[in-house]
Amino acid sequence: MSDTHNGLFSLAGRSAIVTGGGRGIGRSIATELARTGANLVITYRENSSLAEAAARELRALGAACQTCKADVRDGGDIERAVNECLQAFGSVDILVNNAGMTNDNLLMRLSEEAWDEVLDTNLRGTFLATKAVLRPMIRSRWGRIINITSVVGVSGNAGQANYTAAKAGIIGFTRSVALEVASRGITVNAVAPGFVLTDLTAGLADEQKETIKDRIPMKRYGETNEISPIVAFLASDAAAYITGQTVNVDGGLVMS
Ligand code: NDP
């Protein structure tokens, strides 16, 4: 039996797909799942070297791990990732819909391309991957789907109408699918991080970052490894009676 978080839970024998697991929050989630005992397929869109480096790290933790180039906007790519997981490990027990992106602008200047790209990646990608894992999860009468949304999907954010629409959509999607599969041993939950310094947020001006930090009741940004433990918990048997929920991990930002 692998590491069990003080005996509270273990993911030993479980297999997980983490979309966008090669860097940022997804990499931290993959690491936490591996530490807790899961085997993994991590997907990436283009950064193969980062995904391979992440996979080496996960193997060093004792996990079996494969990488898969799969654009979450493409149903065929997603099917391939799911099949690779089934072939390698015999099941897909856990799906973490983490892959995401921003393309910010005020609505007056927001192009149709920027709208489509952000909705397709964050929301359509979550739909496609969730749909692809449901059949194998229903067959094995066990499954955990964890969707990474954002605190701004709850609060709104000027300059992010596309991103907040996608992330709010993920929250509604999470609840609806949770209701559809609740009787099948499958839970569907969302995790809403606050502001975490990753490549996604690196492009913001220092002034913007300081304004955000000021609004966070804890007066600091979140770390990727402060997001991942709740994902591992929701993926475990210990969270069997929790479904359709959105857990904010944001230093209190959503209340401010
Ligand atoms: P990063 O930009 O650091 O990483 C994004 C990841 O998503 C990469 O692994 C990337 O793959 C993958 N990705 C992007 N587009 C696609 C695509 N079309 N198909 C497959 N994979 C794709 O972002 P974060 O780690 O910060 O964000 C992870 C999640 O957390 C996202 O859903 C984001 O919206 C959410 N989030 C982040 C917050 C933050 O403050 N950072 C706050 C709230 C939510 P590749 O490396 O190949 O490009």
Side-chain angles (χ1 to χ4, degrees):
M1 181 77 78
S2 57
D3 193 346
T4 58
H5 282 253
N6 300 324
L8 280 177
F9 60 89
S10 164
L11 298 176
R14 301 290 184 199
S15 49
I17 298 175
V18 180
T19 66
R23 60 189 168 104
I25 293 171
R27 184 168 184 158
S28 179
I29 291 170
T31 304
E32 191 69 22
L33 297 183
R35 268 201 209 114
T36 317
N39 295 321
L40 287 118
V41 171
I42 58 173
T43 75
Y44 62 95
R45 178 189 46 180
E46 53 191 13
N47 279 307
S48 61
S49 54
L50 280 180
E52 289 306 334
R56 280 195 297 277
E57 241 175 60
L58 300 178
R59 288 183 202 117
L61 291 170
C65 179
Q66 302 208 357
T67 62
C68 180
K69 180 171 166 56
D71 190 322
V72 291
R73 295 169 295 184
D74 183 317
D77 278 12
I78 292 290
E79 285 289 343
R80 204 162 32 75
V82 170
N83 284 335
E84 281 188 24
C85 188
L86 286 170
Q87 268 164 22
F89 309 125
S91 62
V92 185
D93 304 308
I94 300 158
L95 168 68
V96 183
N97 282 309
N98 163 79
M101 65 166 305
T102 54
N103 190 345
D104 299 349
N105 221 327
L106 293 173
L107 189 66
M108 294 280 282
R109 294 189 212 127
L110 192 64
S111 68
E112 290 182 34
E113 290 72 29
W115 174 270
D116 288 344
E117 178 183 44
V118 168
L119 268 288
D120 282 356
T121 305
N122 293 280
L123 186 55
R124 186 166 192 271
T126 297
F127 151 66
L128 287 173
T130 303
K131 189 172 176 195
V133 299
L134 275 194
R135 217 178 287 277
M137 284 183 179
I138 286 171
R139 256 199 311 269
S140 58
R141 301 195 66 80
W142 198 96
R144 296 285 184 269
I145 298 166
I146 297 126
N147 301 321
I148 307 302
T149 175
S150 168
V151 71
V152 297
V154 180
S155 65
N157 196 24
Q160 290 197 308
N162 51 356
Y163 183 69
T164 54
K167 293 304 195 185
I170 287 175
I171 294 171
F173 175 82
T174 298
R175 292 199 184 122
S176 298
V177 183
L179 288 169
E180 288 186 23
V181 297
S183 63
R184 311 294 192 111
I186 303 168
T187 68
V188 190
N189 290 290
V191 171
F195 191 92
V196 181
L197 283 177
T198 63
D199 295 341
L200 189 93
T201 45
L204 291 175
D206 287 346
E207 205 184 17
Q208 281 175 291
K209 287 187 202 157
E210 282 308 310
T211 309
I212 294 167
K213 192 168 25 176
D214 230 39
R215 280 186 43 218
I216 302 171
M218 289 190 182
K219 300 295 172 205
R220 66 174 181 84
Y221 308 124
E223 305 281 341
T224 58
N225 64 9
E226 292 178 302
I227 310 299
S228 42
I230 184 71
V231 177
F233 170 69
L234 289 170
S236 74
D237 278 321
Y241 206 51
I242 302 172
T243 198
Q245 302 304 303
T246 298
V247 184
N248 301 307
V249 188
D250 63 357
L253 180 58
V254 79
M255 298 183 293
S256 70

